[in-house]
Amino acid sequence: MHGLGQKARQASTAMAAAETAEKNSALLAIAEALENDRPQLKQLNTQDLEAGRARGLDAAMLDRLELTDARIDAMIEGLRQVAALPDPVGTIDDMKYIPSGIQLGRMRVPLGVIGIIYESRPNVTVEAASLCLKSGNAVILRGGSESIHSNQAIARCIQAGLKATGLPVDAVQVVETTDRAAVGVLIGMPDYVDVIVPRGGKGLIERISKDARVPVIKHLDGICHVYLDDKADVDKAIPIADNAKTHRYGVCNAMETLLVHEAVAEAMLKPLADIYAAKDVELRGCPETRKILSGITAATEEDWSTEYLAPVLSVKVVKDMDEAIAHINRFGSHHTDAIVTEDFSRARRFLREVDSSSVMINASTRFADGFEYGLGAEIGISTDKIHARGPVGLEGLTSQKYVVFGDGHIRQ
């Protein structure tokens, strides 16, 4: 692991100096290598799938593990999209003259070496590598043991693309051992690794956050809320509350708790209950909700702080927006929360007072995504308040340094 770290650190110096055209050429060369090696990728992925079935992996895990032609196509298209994105490295913002006569600005620079730890999905190998390369970083990738053959095959394609364009092949390295101790070493190498990004279940992320000796970009839960205000337009509120929950269940930006103002609770909840029932969504409600919707399960204190990732929804009737905001800030995970209202003053107040990485007005929480935000892709979502917050794209994988332009200036 220390050998990987040393090589990554050396490669990061070259990547920081790489021109945009070189990085784009490498990304396109990787896309071509993936296309050319498609039969071998699928063959090695089949080995992982067979091993996974033998180990008793469930259907959902096997689905995430599989590399279909459509998913390989998506990986290739993703590389081309990242190549087409503007390069943040080297851009200078906020240039201004200071009274002393010097010019001052802030330049975007790569973070250096990024360690990414993830589970099951081999397409993450390409997504992570492409974003790190475009932002001028080197990356060490540690995928799950269940996808070891697939990840190594993809890594060979990535390194072939780097070699073809003259960039250091060590800019992208995949940890080849399946020994879990490798993760502990990776997150404890501050001399070689500048930041860790864990992508996986809450248990993995909690462990990384607790034990890492380098900064971590992460979110633990996606306990997202939609609040239907008494000034909401019902024709907007119903589709938003439906989409936020049922568009996809097992994602971090799906709504897990619906809050409804008491003045419109009956008008909103009855049609929503019919929609949810048709989609087999289990409702768990507060006492006021259960008066309106008889026969639903009573919500417990634990429900308010649970990320279901399933067709289950907590519902609470609140007396006003103050109670809604207080509930969100107490039980939410600071990921994504939305208000549906036609009252502009309330909407602005909700934006200011809800302490989450994405706060929305009259829109589904499902939009909290790097692609939907125009970032092209994302390395993950951060609920931290230092450095990156929200979906982390190319800019989130860079930092800024002050730059000064003078013409013989000396301090008096």
Side-chain angles (χ1 to χ4, degrees):
M1 292 303 297
H2 282 269
L4 292 182
Q6 291 171 350
K7 290 188 285 187
R9 178 61 74 202
Q10 292 171 357
S12 70
T13 302
M15 288 304 305
E19 298 292 337
T20 301
E22 293 178 289
K23 295 184 287 189
N24 290 344
S25 294
L27 293 170
L28 296 176
I30 294 167
E32 185 177 354
L34 287 173
E35 183 61 70
N36 293 338
D37 284 5
R38 183 187 293 255
Q40 187 177 17
L41 285 176
K42 293 175 69 176
Q43 179 184 348
L44 291 170
N45 180 246
T46 299
Q47 289 185 28
D48 286 331
L49 289 168
E50 290 174 351
R53 292 188 188 100
R55 289 169 54 188
L57 296 183
D58 61 31
M61 179 72 84
L62 290 170
D63 177 66
R64 291 194 293 271
L65 179 56
E66 186 176 11
L67 280 179
T68 63
D69 278 314
R71 288 176 181 175
I72 295 173
D73 289 341
M75 287 159 51
I76 292 169
E77 179 58 27
L79 285 160
R80 292 171 177 158
Q81 289 179 2
V82 173
L85 291 172
D87 186 351
V89 178
T91 59
I92 300 176
D93 301 319
D94 304 324
M95 284 294 293
K96 58 187 176 183
Y97 280 99
I98 305 300
S100 63
I102 62 172
Q103 273 187 291
L104 180 69
R106 302 181 76 186
M107 176 186 284
R108 289 228 158 257
V109 294
L111 294 177
V113 177
I114 300 173
I116 302 180
I117 301 162
Y118 54 103
E119 300 169 328
S120 65
R121 294 195 301 130
N123 55 308
V124 172
T125 304
V126 170
E127 292 174 5
S130 65
L131 290 171
C132 289
L133 290 175
K134 183 65 181 265
S135 55
N137 295 289
V139 61
I140 299 173
L141 299 164
R142 205 289 185 176
S145 59
E146 67 280 355
S147 55
I148 185 69
H149 296 99
S150 304
N151 288 335
Q152 288 177 348
I154 291 170
R156 286 191 287 271
C157 293
I158 293 170
Q159 291 176 339
L162 290 168
K163 186 176 181 180
T165 50
L167 292 177
V169 295
D170 293 330
V172 178
Q173 299 177 86
V174 171
V175 178
E176 295 188 354
T177 178
T178 59
D179 190 333
R180 296 184 68 181
V183 173
V185 179
L186 178 61
I187 65 177
M189 301 196 303
D191 290 342
Y192 304 127
V193 179
D194 295 292
V195 66
I196 292 287
V197 181
R199 292 183 59 165
K202 183 177 179 180
L204 170 72
I205 297 172
E206 282 183 329
R207 180 209 161 184
I208 301 303
S209 303
K210 176 177 176 289
D211 296 340
R213 295 179 55 215
V214 295
V216 178
I217 296 176
K218 86 314 181 167
H219 77 273
L220 293 177
D221 298 290
I223 304 171
C224 304
H225 301 76
V226 173
Y227 165 55
L228 306 183
D229 187 48
D230 63 327
K231 299 292 186 180
D233 181 333
V234 67
D235 291 331
K236 297 175 186 177
I238 301 296
I240 288 172
D242 175 19
N243 180 263
K245 183 61 197 177
T246 68
H247 183 254
R248 282 186 68 188
Y249 297 115
V251 289
C252 62
N253 56 16
M255 172 180 65
E256 303 291 21
T257 297
L258 175 66
L259 304 173
V260 188
H261 193 291
E262 61 182 8
V264 294
E266 187 164 351
M268 296 285 193
L269 287 178
K270 287 188 173 180
L272 278 170
D274 291 338
I275 292 170
Y276 293 139
K279 298 180 180 182
D280 295 321
V281 176
E282 176 191 345
L283 300 181
R284 300 180 184 179
C286 70
E288 291 303 313
T289 301
R290 297 179 71 214
K291 290 179 183 176
I292 298 168
L293 305 176
S294 60
I296 70 169
T297 304
T300 66
E301 187 81 358
E302 184 180 0
D303 282 311
W304 306 128
S305 54
T306 297
E307 182 184 26
Y308 299 113
L309 299 174
V312 181
L313 178 67
S314 301
V315 184
K316 184 176 184 179
V317 175
V318 295
K319 67 176 185 290
D320 53 26
M321 192 172 75
D322 288 342
E323 186 179 350
I325 293 173
H327 181 97
I328 292 168
N329 287 338
R330 177 182 175 188
F331 294 104
S333 60
H334 312 290
H335 190 296
T336 303
D337 299 290
I339 183 174
V340 183
T341 187
E342 296 301 299
D343 188 309
F344 181 74
S345 296
R346 291 187 190 176
R348 288 294 300 262
R349 187 179 154 217
F350 191 86
L351 290 182
R352 288 194 309 269
E353 297 184 19
V354 170
D355 185 23
S356 297
S357 66
S358 288
V359 185
M360 303 181 171
I361 301 169
N362 296 333
S364 167
T365 58
R366 286 286 290 123
F367 283 107
D369 174 86
F371 180 80
E372 294 291 342
Y373 281 8
L375 305 179
E378 68 181 37
I379 206 79
I381 290 178
S382 171
T383 53
D384 293 326
K385 296 185 180 181
I386 296 176
H387 184 59
R389 196 177 192 196
V392 181
L394 291 175
E395 190 170 291
L397 295 177
T398 63
S399 182
Q400 287 184 304
K401 63 182 178 184
Y402 283 101
V403 293
V404 173
F405 292 78
D407 187 18
H409 287 78
I410 59 173
R411 184 169 177 176
Q412 303 296 327

